[in-house]
Amino acid sequence: MSEKHEEDQEFDVGSEDEAAGKGTWKHAAFHVATTIATPAAYAPLPFALASLGWPLGVSSLVTATLATWYSSLLIASLWRWNGKKHVTYRLLADSIFGFWGYWSIAFFQQVASIGNNIAIQIAAGSSLKAVYKHYHKHGTLTLQHFIIFFGAFELFLSQLPDIHSLRWVNGFCTLSTIGFACTTIGVTIYNGKKIDRESISYSLQGSSSAKRFAAFNALGAIAFSFGDAMLPEIQNTVREPSVKNMYKGVSAAYSVIVLTYWQLAFTGYWAFGSQVQPYIVASLTVPKWTIIMANIFAVIQISGCYQIYCRPTYAYFEERLASNRTSMLKNGLIRPIFTSIYIVVITLVASAMPFFVDFVSICGAIGFTPLDFIFPVLAFLKAGKMPKNKAVGISMRILNVGIAAWFSIVAVVGCIGAIRFVVEDVKTYKFFHD
């Protein structure tokens, strides 16, 4: 490990000591569920299924669920793989792959974190605007106003020191996830029954080229929906036995995911067919009060998810400053200054280009696919953690290589599809459109 990375590890361990080892498996479940099972992630799933059709859409969703659950357990098992505790994703990658592993994960984490938070601010602004328009039909406030309001609230939450300090926020957010899912699924079924079922089409829309790029985009959106680039950081907050508690926390979180993701994806596509909107709540029409409730649940939940994904960026800059022993860090000025700069930039991009599903797909393809599908299986192979049973070991090797190969393809085609749609949207819309 390089001298620079040793300094980083010294800072990371020191900065997290107060939070390390205090959380239960339930707290881990709250954190994991908050980062994955968010309305910004699973609200686009019916649209993704509509771009793939029933057979490919269902198989892609089920495969992604099982693959990320398995990959998450692999990451948890590498917690002390070489006798040392690895408190961040970057340091885990450095211990296994060295210099390039460290900086590759740092890059992917930043793409995932920033892209995810842009998508979250767009989703939050859209939900807040929907609530506002319900009570003030002719109100003059625009989407950009609500994106700014949400950014200001996140700036306030950003002053909490670490992930463990968010445990009660994320517990509330997990309840909001269940509330959003139950409300939206129920209202979706209600709306679906109100529609003339003979008018609903499940055929793929557009030319052959359009269908192909839409399918690529959908694969990126599905990858985004299972994004969790923070597992080692979350595991650092869990008490011993850390690996066992993390297994329980991850599995509990995925139980919530299966009960929400699959039902909403399937009922949303069933109800509206190929005409379903990128953000499922926008397809709902009646009853109004339940739609408002779903939007409120969405804003509450993604406020916690936003905070989780801020943390790699905050930690990176704070560790750089700590290594220089700056006086600004000691007197506490650096966090409000840096968090303000970060959130202003994210808010500006979200306001200028509120292309929700495009950011979802780019973030999924470039950020989350390497972190959540490819790196865990390769890291497990590289670390030599295979079971002693020969047959099981060979099976796991084949499975890991298969996951890495398939999702590498998904990352490439998802990125191609997302970039094409961003280019098309920029041609169609003006910046800061409402």
Side-chain angles (χ1 to χ4, degrees), residues 142-223:
T142 66
L143 174 62
Q144 282 68 34
H145 287 101
F146 294 103
I147 289 175
I148 293 170
F149 296 157
F150 183 77
F153 178 66
E154 291 302 325
L155 179 59
F156 169 75
L157 287 183
S158 290
Q159 306 319 306
L160 293 173
D162 50 44
I163 291 175
H164 188 63
S165 66
L166 293 167
R167 61 193 181 280
W168 300 114
V169 174
N170 288 344
F172 191 44
C173 290
T174 300
L175 295 177
S176 296
T177 295
I178 297 170
F180 175 85
C182 293
T183 303
T184 308
I185 292 167
V187 178
T188 297
I189 295 172
Y190 180 81
N191 278 253
K193 289 183 176 181
K194 289 283 186 180
I195 299 171
D196 178 8
R197 301 310 304 165
E198 293 184 0
S199 67
I200 301 299
S201 171
Y202 298 102
S203 60
L204 302 180
Q205 303 295 302
S207 63
S208 297
S209 175
K211 291 176 184 177
R212 184 164 54 252
F213 282 110
F216 291 170
N217 205 39
L219 291 174
I222 290 174

Side-chain angles (χ1 to χ4, degrees), residues 57-98:
V58 172
S59 60
S60 296
L61 183 60
V62 173
T63 299
T65 305
L66 296 177
T68 48
W69 174 69
Y70 171 72
S71 297
S72 297
L73 296 181
L74 293 185
I75 288 292
S77 71
L78 294 172
W79 176 239
R80 291 184 184 269
W81 76 276
N82 60 351
K84 297 179 181 179
K85 183 168 69 171
H86 307 291
V87 300
T88 69
Y89 219 138
R90 301 189 308 280
L91 293 173
L92 175 62
D94 183 64
S95 72
I96 296 174
F97 292 105

Side-chain angles (χ1 to χ4, degrees), residues 156 194 225 279 326 379 423:
F156 169 75
K194 289 283 186 180
S225 69
Y279 191 65
T326 61
V423 171

Side-chain angles (χ1 to χ4, degrees), residues 186-432:
V187 178
T188 297
I189 295 172
Y190 180 81
N191 278 253
K193 289 183 176 181
K194 289 283 186 180
I195 299 171
D196 178 8
R197 301 310 304 165
E198 293 184 0
S199 67
I200 301 299
S201 171
Y202 298 102
S203 60
L204 302 180
Q205 303 295 302
S207 63
S208 297
S209 175
K211 291 176 184 177
R212 184 164 54 252
F213 282 110
F216 291 170
N217 205 39
L219 291 174
I222 290 174
F224 172 90
S225 69
F226 292 95
D228 187 353
M230 302 288 294
L231 282 171
E233 287 86 345
I234 291 171
Q235 192 164 1
N236 188 47
T237 69
V238 179
R239 68 180 59 156
E240 295 293 344
S242 179
V243 173
K244 182 178 179 181
N245 283 329
M246 198 64 181
Y247 283 169
K248 292 170 66 177
V250 166
S251 298
Y254 269 81
S255 298
V256 174
I257 289 167
V258 169
L259 292 173
T260 54
Y261 274 39
W262 290 10
Q263 279 71 15
L264 185 60
F266 300 152
T267 58
Y269 185 32
W270 164 80
F272 304 105
S274 57
Q275 299 304 311
V276 67
Q277 295 298 308
Y279 191 65
I280 181 63
V281 179
S283 293
L284 306 177
T285 56
V286 289
K288 291 290 186 182
W289 69 270
T290 56
I291 300 171
I292 297 304
M293 188 165 66
N295 278 300
I296 292 173
F297 277 135
V299 173
I300 293 171
Q301 202 286 332
I302 56 184
S303 64
C305 181
Y306 188 102
Q307 282 304 307
I308 292 286
Y309 282 105
C310 288
R311 301 298 157 160
T313 308
Y314 294 169
Y316 176 79
F317 282 95
E318 286 177 358
E319 71 191 25
R320 299 274 77 75
L321 291 164
S323 65
N324 295 328
R325 303 294 190 264
T326 61
S327 60
M328 289 181 66
L329 185 66
K330 292 180 180 179
N331 63 27
L333 287 177
I334 190 59
R335 179 173 286 269
I337 291 173
F338 176 71
T339 54
S340 297
I341 294 172
Y342 175 86
I343 290 177
V344 165
V345 171
I346 297 297
T347 302
L348 181 62
V349 175
S351 299
M353 297 189 296
F355 312 142
F356 174 69
V357 77
D358 299 340
F359 279 110
V360 162
S361 299
I362 288 177
C363 184
I366 303 177
F368 287 121
T369 302
L371 290 168
D372 297 315
F373 296 94
I374 301 171
F375 173 80
V377 294
L378 295 180
F380 194 80
L381 289 171
K382 177 73 172 176
K385 292 278 290 182
M386 286 298 170
K388 293 180 180 179
N389 184 289
K390 188 175 181 180
V392 175
I394 292 173
S395 298
M396 285 190 68
R397 283 187 178 88
I398 294 172
L399 177 61
N400 285 16
V401 171
I403 290 174
W406 169 245
F407 285 101
S408 294
I409 296 171
V410 169
V412 173
V413 299
C415 185
I416 292 171
I419 290 174
R420 179 185 183 274
F421 277 93
V422 168
V423 171
E424 292 298 317
D425 282 341
V426 168
K427 291 179 181 177
T428 305
Y429 299 102
K430 294 181 179 179
F431 286 117
F432 297 98

